[in-house]
Amino acid sequence: MSRKADSVENTQEEVQKAPYLDQTLRPAGWEEYIGQQSIKENLRILLSAAKERNQPAEHILFYGPPGLGKTTLAHLIARELGGQMRQTSGPAIEKVGDLAAILTNLNPGDLLFIDEIHRLNKTIEEVLYPAMESGVLDIVIGKGPSARTIQLELPPFTLVAATTRIALLSAPLRSRFSGGTFRLDFYTEEEIKKILERSAKILGVETDHEGLRAIAKRSRFTPRTANYLLKRARDFAQMEKRPLSRDTVERALSLLEVDVLGLTPTDRKILETLIKKFGGGPIGLNTVAAAIAEEQATVADVHEPYLLQIGLIERTPRGRRATKAAYEHLKQQPPGLF
Ligand code: ADE
């Protein structure tokens, strides 16, 4: 069924749904979740076995670049386990009391999702250990010689955590994800195209094979980016009152300064800095980040993984180096992006 979510004849109901499009595009069942085959198979066994034993599933850690579907997997696991998903993030848990409040408010069988777990502070991490291992919360009451510890028993729960920076996780924390640690990989172009076909149908966007392929090629093999570009190209097509053909997509994404490889102005600035200011490297990405006035974490999480994936930069013991392909790509870019 195709909904005319874009047309000016939108029903009131569709207009009201519009702000929640990201939620609308999120797969609601395993059959709708495309790709990451090996993770899905492992999770199927882990979850079925736990359900059969009538126990909560063991704690799971997902890592990988942003936008590949870590949160979506957590939602699907919660659904499978039949509990509620409670969502928080490392930086949002500022005090031990914040974590205590979250944990003691869980219902048996709930899933606690902690995003960006690498940003959890050390003291809180240590409170999390016994909660993960033995389902208890050790709380210190008072200070100095009169301080005492009380132990609260927690409802059985599953912790699913996600990080873009596995290397920043302490070894003790990593070792407590007894259900497994799974790395999400970039998707293939074919998988992205299937995701886009599904999204276009949900959004009621009229498109063709070539239009979707043009988006898939520029999607950085990342579903979140693919869906973002689809929506921007849809806006463009709508304003021009044209279908979402390859030509419309190329012009829409050119306006966004996304090039044929899906590189954004910041990606190109990174390459340009590496090549023009530092003779191609090798150089630490922190130096590049400083040179382009960008957050180091953003360069490391968002830009570097894709540039490495498509072979425009490479890792050496002394830092990152631009490859021949990076020189070629930059030469081909200005003045037009396509
Ligand atoms: N949206 C985000 N990730 C997805 C996936 N893996 N499959 C389908 N839709 C998605």
Side-chain angles (χ1 to χ4, degrees):
M1 188 186 67
S2 103
R3 283 193 286 123
K4 271 193 177 172
D6 305 311
S7 92
V8 279
E9 304 117 73
N10 266 344
T11 63
Q12 195 55 32
E13 185 196 22
E14 279 163 340
V15 171
Q16 280 166 356
K17 273 183 190 161
Y20 307 110
L21 281 182
D22 285 338
Q23 212 52 39
T24 312
L25 296 183
R26 200 187 281 290
W30 293 107
E31 66 295 341
E32 292 179 22
Y33 190 96
I34 292 153
Q36 310 293 350
Q37 215 51 45
S38 147
I39 296 182
K40 281 193 291 188
E41 277 165 35
N42 278 293
L43 290 179
R44 195 169 54 80
I45 294 170
L46 184 88
L47 301 179
S48 310
K51 274 203 315 197
E52 206 174 283
R53 290 193 303 265
N54 229 343
Q55 286 174 346
E58 285 170 84
H59 310 302
I60 298 166
L61 176 64
F62 293 124
Y63 72 99
L68 296 184
K70 297 186 283 293
T71 308
T72 302
L73 282 176
H75 276 287
L76 294 179
I77 294 171
R79 211 177 93 127
E80 184 76 32
L81 294 174
Q84 291 277 321
M85 171 162 141
R86 311 281 167 186
Q87 181 166 354
T88 183
S89 75
I93 309 173
E94 290 179 3
K95 297 184 297 258
V96 169
D98 297 337
L99 180 64
I102 295 168
L103 289 172
T104 51
N105 278 309
L106 293 173
N107 290 311
D110 276 357
L111 182 152
L112 172 62
F113 178 63
I114 306 184
D115 201 5
E116 295 188 74
I117 192 146
H118 60 277
R119 294 179 61 188
L120 203 61
N121 89 37
K122 273 270 160 299
T123 324
I124 295 167
E125 206 177 294
E126 277 166 24
V127 176
L128 195 56
Y129 296 157
M132 288 174 78
E133 264 173 359
S134 339
V136 294
L137 193 61
D138 292 319
I139 300 184
V140 183
I141 297 180
K143 276 194 179 130
S146 61
R148 54 198 180 88
T149 309
I150 59 163
Q151 219 174 45
L152 285 181
E153 197 159 322
L154 297 168
F157 72 102
T158 299
L159 174 68
V160 175
T163 178
T164 48
R165 306 283 289 283
I166 186 85
L168 298 185
L169 248 63
S170 71
L173 181 57
R174 274 184 74 163
S175 70
R176 283 169 169 88
F177 289 95
S178 52
T181 295
F182 301 99
R183 190 182 70 141
L184 278 86
D185 279 322
F186 285 109
Y187 291 67
T188 65
E189 197 179 304
E190 264 323 292
E191 287 166 347
I192 293 288
K193 195 149 163 283
K194 279 191 198 145
I195 291 171
L196 284 168
E197 277 163 9
R198 173 180 173 274
S199 301
K201 217 184 223 172
I202 294 170
L203 298 175
V205 185
E206 197 187 315
T207 182
D208 60 22
H209 169 77
E210 287 297 312
L212 289 187
R213 216 162 80 94
I215 297 177
K217 280 193 176 306
R218 292 158 178 81
S219 69
R220 313 167 76 86
F221 309 117
T222 302
R224 186 187 294 158
T225 309
N227 284 333
Y228 166 75
L229 295 179
L230 172 67
K231 287 191 242 167
R232 298 295 65 80
R234 177 238 356 220
D235 288 349
F236 190 90
Q238 182 186 328
M239 288 298 103
E240 288 206 336
K241 301 198 174 7
R242 295 174 67 144
L244 221 158
S245 63
R246 178 175 155 193
D247 171 66
T248 322
V249 166
E250 287 186 351
R251 285 184 302 114
L253 302 196
S254 174
L255 194 63
L256 286 173
E257 298 185 77
V258 170
D259 70 25
V260 282
L261 292 180
L263 301 193
T264 61
T266 307
D267 294 310
R268 289 190 297 272
K269 218 154 101 189
I270 290 172
L271 295 179
E272 233 168 67
T273 304
L274 202 51
I275 290 171
K276 293 186 182 156
K277 279 205 178 135
F278 298 101
I283 192 159
L285 267 194
N286 51 346
T287 312
V288 181
I292 66 166
E294 194 50 86
E295 288 273 337
Q296 204 173 307
T298 309
V299 175
D301 290 358
V302 179
H303 302 283
E304 180 187 38
Y306 181 62
L307 295 173
L308 280 168
Q309 170 78 13
I310 60 170
L312 294 186
I313 59 174
E314 60 189 7
R315 272 200 185 107
T316 79
R318 290 192 297 133
R320 305 297 188 259
R321 193 160 58 198
T323 63
K324 216 172 125 214
Y327 284 81
E328 289 303 313
H329 182 69
L330 282 193
K331 249 191 268 165
Q332 286 160 12
Q333 294 315 302
L337 290 175
F338 293 96

